Amino acid sequence: QVQLVESGGGLVQAGASLRLSCPASGRTFSRFAMAWFRQAPGKDREFVAAISPSSSITRYANSVKGRFTIARDNAKNTVYLQMNSLQVEDTAVYYCAARENFIGMIATLYNYWGQGTQVTVSS
């Protein structure tokens, strides 16, 4: 089992920045690909960003490319999502997810999920 706990969400104005953190406990963190997804009210959960176990590969949704950066620190068992130039459309609950070995952009590929952290961007 892998336990994930997101933090760092909050209420900010458009144009501001936030950094989400997701420490993991349980199994060997460095074996897991990590990802961030988000879900806005009334919408499906959507992919935001993913990173491979060694950080050699990253993927981003087109809507966040150039504004968000995913990173991980395997020594701290933590994955981060740096969010810059936040827009009202980024308002959602953000979830951290993990799966063994291979990076993916589809939610059903991920076995482990955190409880989510709310990000609200006001205009």
Side-chain angles (χ1 to χ4, degrees), residues 3-97:
Q3 291 79 43
L4 305 171
V5 181
E6 304 93 336
S7 64
L11 171 63
V12 297
Q13 290 191 325
S17 297
L18 280 175
R19 187 175 82 153
L20 305 183
S21 299
C22 179
S25 61
R27 299 176 65 180
T28 307
F29 181 73
S30 60
R31 292 172 51 190
F32 285 81
M34 302 297 297
W36 289 94
F37 289 79
R38 67 187 182 186
Q39 188 166 18
K43 295 188 177 181
D44 293 334
R45 191 166 298 190
E46 66 172 355
F47 171 77
V48 175
I51 188 167
S52 63
S54 66
S55 301
S56 59
I57 302 171
T58 56
R59 293 289 184 267
Y60 295 93
N62 287 336
S63 59
V64 307
K65 202 171 292 184
R67 299 188 298 121
F68 291 10
T69 302
I70 189 170
R72 65 191 293 160
D73 185 337
N74 285 350
K76 296 182 178 180
N77 290 356
T78 302
V79 64
Y80 305 95
L81 184 68
Q82 178 66 43
M83 305 186 294
N84 298 329
S85 301
L86 282 161
Q87 303 170 355
V88 173
E89 296 74 29
D90 295 318
T91 295
V93 177
Y94 283 71
Y95 297 92
C96 172

Side-chain angles (χ1 to χ4, degrees), residues 96-115:
C96 172
R99 69 183 299 253
E100 289 202 50
N101 298 322
F102 301 110
I103 197 171
M105 299 170 66
I106 301 172
T108 53
L109 294 174
Y110 288 81
N111 309 105
Y112 304 101
W113 292 84
Q115 83 291 345

